Amino acid sequence: MARPREFQMDEATERAMALFWSGGYEEVSLADLLDAMRLSRGSLYKAYGEKQGVWLAALDLYDNRVVQPAAQALADAGTGPGLARVTRFLEAPAAAFRDGDDRRGCFLCNAAVDRAASDGNTRERVLAMFMAIEQGLQVALADAAADRGWSVSTVDKKAKATLAAYVGLRVLVRAGFPRDTIDLITATHIETLSGP
């Protein structure tokens, strides 16, 4: 009979994610992870394999807890009109900054900048998460299209531009841009979304 794990994987992974989120992959040492996750070296290696395994588990946890629910909320007509759903999504970076002074950015966006170019496993996960968000945006904007006479290609362009605006806003918040600039960029993109 297999011995039960002496720790909760999600809790340990969540602590690792918080560490990676604030410091980035390269800045976090194995000793930092062991301390934050409250694991022995042997337990970490058995459960995750190595530091890279912990990182990928953190990305998967973020996908399950944040990205997939956000994509589903965008696609769910029961949560309001299409443009209202997109507006809520796009206002999230400014709200995190305004309501909680959260300048960490988005873990997904940080991973895209930090590791996706140099690590194929990270890139695969990052692209899949971005695609899930884009598909949610497509559904929400398609719902809005009927009232506005948008073509399928217009919906596609608006979804891609909105994803790019969201990522850009998250990066700008993390970089320290002033709140009024973040609010202005957000409002400008929302205004352009309503146009033809």
Side-chain angles (χ1 to χ4, degrees):
M1 177 193 276
R3 211 172 96 195
R5 285 220 168 95
E6 297 168 2
F7 66 94
Q8 294 293 321
M9 290 228 8
D10 275 2
E11 289 175 17
T13 304
E14 188 169 359
R15 289 191 290 270
M17 181 172 66
L19 195 61
F20 285 130
W21 205 333
S22 63
Y25 182 85
E26 296 300 336
E27 294 299 316
V28 174
S29 69
L30 184 58
D32 294 332
L33 283 173
L34 294 173
D35 184 51
M37 297 172 78
R38 302 176 197 145
L39 296 179
S40 69
R41 189 178 296 262
S43 293
L44 184 142
Y45 284 139
K46 185 173 181 181
Y48 300 93
E50 57 185 331
K51 176 181 170 181
Q52 171 78 354
V54 178
W55 166 256
L56 295 176
L59 276 175
D60 291 342
L61 184 65
Y62 189 79
D63 185 25
N64 291 331
R65 288 196 179 168
V66 178
V67 174
Q68 295 307 318
Q72 289 166 8
L74 281 164
D76 184 0
T79 62
L83 270 182
R85 298 188 324 253
V86 174
T87 298
R88 277 195 305 272
F89 173 75
L90 200 57
E91 288 178 338
F97 180 21
R98 183 177 53 250
D99 301 338
D101 198 29
D102 184 354
R103 284 196 173 271
R104 296 177 305 163
C106 159
F107 190 61
L108 165 60
C109 300
N110 296 353
V113 173
D114 188 24
R115 296 280 300 156
S118 61
D119 175 57
N121 289 318
T122 298
R123 182 168 48 255
E124 180 181 314
R125 284 167 168 80
V126 162
L127 290 175
M129 285 188 259
F130 281 147
M131 286 298 297
I133 293 168
E134 186 181 332
Q135 287 167 359
L137 288 166
Q138 294 264 4
V139 173
L141 291 167
D143 288 352
D147 298 334
R148 290 170 169 74
W150 296 338
S151 66
V152 172
S153 67
T154 297
V155 168
D156 184 58
K157 288 174 190 173
K158 286 180 181 286
K160 286 176 170 44
T162 302
L163 177 60
Y166 175 83
V167 173
L169 283 165
R170 286 293 194 180
V171 171
L172 293 176
V173 166
R174 184 169 172 92
F177 267 60
R179 195 171 88 185
D180 58 345
T181 303
I182 300 300
D183 288 339
L184 176 64
I185 295 167
T186 303
T188 301
H189 186 77
I190 290 168
E191 186 180 331
T192 63
L193 271 179
S194 303

